């Protein structure tokens, strides 16, 4: 099986490149071939691919900066995703596309189901919602998979930030009223391959959620990071209002992942196991 991965050195793209099944040949399409700030280059790259399926892990992910760069964020997360989907539809190549919990407003405490109406509260979420809509409108066979709180040994993420700050300080004030599921990029990569394979074999697809379990707050996530790392640093719980950011964060990022299991047999990962693996990798790096 041949799979093309759109995405450069991001967390998920990096894991996709090293976790391909033995019978899968993966081609990475980086920014030099497909610049998502220029939709035409994305379409051009997709037209010439020899692939049984495409996984899109490319995205504008600077949530706060998107508030002042919404046009760029929307071009990358919206228009270029639509251009890719149009080519997938024309060539009958199934598409696995990664989206985000930020398409929801974060209200309530009920886990978000894929069929609940999106209501993004920031520029990043609005752009990602547009990308989702354009995929559906394209007619391409697809799986849109929303995920949350991604972490890995690659790039910049909460785990690596906590390790650095925890070793520098005796106490950290961490938000405790945002609740979600941390998700290992390694598990996202393996999920993408499983979904892409079934789409290529005729599965109908749709919109899904994939996030780690159990759900918890950022503060409690930090505590687990420190416990597993044997770092002595006290965590003080604070409300989101005490940590203002340019972009509003959803308070409720709980995700109902049953649909992905029902259609593709992919279960929610236990993020604590993924965290142990990431910490071990970082300790030997």
């Amino acid at each position: 099986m041949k799979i093309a991965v759109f995405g450069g050195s991001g967390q998920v793209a990096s894991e996709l490149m090293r976790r391909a099944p033995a019978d899968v040949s993966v081609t990475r399409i980086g920014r030099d071939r497909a610049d998502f700030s220029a939709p035409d280059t994305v379409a051009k790259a997709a037209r010439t691919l020899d692939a049984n399926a495409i996984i899109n892990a490319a995205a504008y992910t600077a949530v706060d900066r998107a508030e002042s760069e919404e046009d760029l964020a929307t071009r990358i997360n919206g228009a270029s995703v639509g251009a890719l989907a149009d080519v997938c539809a024309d060539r009958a190549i199934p598409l696995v596309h990664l989206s985000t919990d930020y398409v929801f407003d974060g209200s309530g405490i009920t886990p978000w189901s894929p069929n609940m109406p999106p209501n993004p509260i920031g520029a990043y979420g609005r752009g990602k919602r547009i990308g989702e809509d354009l995929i559906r409108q394209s007619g391409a066979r697809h799986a849109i998979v929303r995920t949350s709180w991604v972490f890995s040994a690659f790039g910049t993420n909460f785990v690596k930030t906590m390790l650095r700050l925890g070793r520098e300080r005796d106490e950290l004030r961490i938000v405790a009223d945002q609740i979600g599921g941390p998700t290992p990029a390694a598990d996202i990569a393996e999920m993408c391959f499983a979904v892409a394979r079934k789409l290529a074999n005729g599965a109908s697809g749709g919109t899904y959620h994939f996030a780690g379990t159990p759900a918890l707050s950022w503060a409690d996530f930090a505590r687990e990071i420190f416990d597993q790392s044997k770092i002595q640093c006290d965590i003080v719980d604070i409300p989101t209002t005490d940590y203002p950011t340019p972009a509003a964060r959803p308070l409720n990022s709980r995700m109902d992942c049953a649909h992905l299991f029902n259609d593709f047999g992919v279960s929610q990962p236990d993020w604590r196991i993924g965290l142990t693996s990431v910490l071990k990798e970082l300790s030997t790096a």
Side-chain angles (χ1 to χ4, degrees):
M1 183 178 186
K2 299 176 182 178
I3 293 181
V5 172
F6 281 75
S9 57
Q11 297 187 76
V12 176
S14 296
E15 291 288 7
L16 282 164
M17 294 309 298
R18 69 173 183 170
R19 293 184 181 274
D23 64 339
V24 174
S25 173
V26 178
T27 300
R28 175 186 275 180
I29 311 300
R31 189 174 181 179
D32 57 329
R33 290 182 60 187
D35 182 350
F36 274 67
S37 67
D40 288 349
T41 70
V42 177
K44 180 179 179 181
R47 287 192 197 102
T48 60
L49 288 174
D50 178 15
N52 304 112
I54 290 174
I55 298 172
N56 180 36
Y60 181 111
T61 58
V63 173
D64 287 326
R65 196 165 69 237
E67 294 300 311
S68 59
E69 293 183 348
E70 186 161 4
D71 287 347
L72 175 61
T74 301
R75 191 158 65 250
I76 292 171
N77 292 339
S80 285
V81 171
L84 176 60
D86 286 343
V87 176
C88 287
D90 291 342
R91 300 190 61 200
I93 299 174
L95 172 65
V96 179
H97 172 72
L98 296 175
S99 192
T100 175
D101 59 303
Y102 276 74
V103 300
F104 298 112
D105 59 20
S107 59
I109 60 173
T110 301
W112 294 101
S113 173
N115 55 19
M116 288 180 171
N119 182 34
I121 54 178
Y124 170 65
R126 287 191 291 269
K128 294 293 282 187
R129 179 184 181 179
I130 289 170
E132 290 188 6
D133 289 343
L134 291 174
I135 291 173
R136 297 185 190 101
Q137 293 167 18
S138 73
R141 179 177 295 175
H142 67 269
I144 296 166
V145 186
R146 299 172 179 140
T147 189
S148 63
W149 298 21
V150 180
F151 69 92
S152 71
F154 300 99
T156 301
N157 56 67
F158 185 78
V159 171
K160 294 174 75 173
T161 298
M162 287 301 101
L163 291 175
R164 175 176 56 83
L165 294 178
R167 292 177 178 122
E168 294 174 353
R169 305 179 189 178
D170 296 326
E171 179 183 283
L172 290 173
R173 295 164 55 84
I174 307 294
V175 170
D177 57 355
Q178 296 173 26
I179 308 298
T183 315
D187 290 290
I188 297 174
E190 292 178 358
M191 173 274 297
C192 285
F193 285 123
V195 171
R197 187 187 297 276
K198 289 197 173 184
L199 285 179
N201 288 332
S204 57
T207 302
Y208 304 93
H209 292 166
F210 182 75
T213 188
L216 78 172
S217 70
W218 288 112
D220 284 338
F221 188 22
R223 290 186 176 95
E224 181 66 20
I225 294 167
F226 292 159
D227 284 348
Q228 288 200 24
S229 303
K230 304 296 189 291
I231 291 175
Q232 299 299 315
C233 180
D234 292 330
I235 301 295
V236 177
D237 291 3
I238 63 170
T240 296
T241 51
D242 282 4
Y243 190 74
T245 54
R249 265 59 174 176
L251 296 181
N252 175 24
S253 290
R254 301 171 180 87
M255 308 286 268
D256 178 354
C257 302
H259 296 74
L260 190 67
F261 178 78
N262 292 339
D263 286 4
F264 293 96
V266 178
S267 301
Q268 282 185 270
D270 185 329
W271 59 263
R272 294 166 296 191
I273 297 173
L275 177 62
T276 300
S277 296
V278 167
L279 293 175
K280 180 179 180 180
E281 182 173 355
L282 288 172
S283 70
T284 59

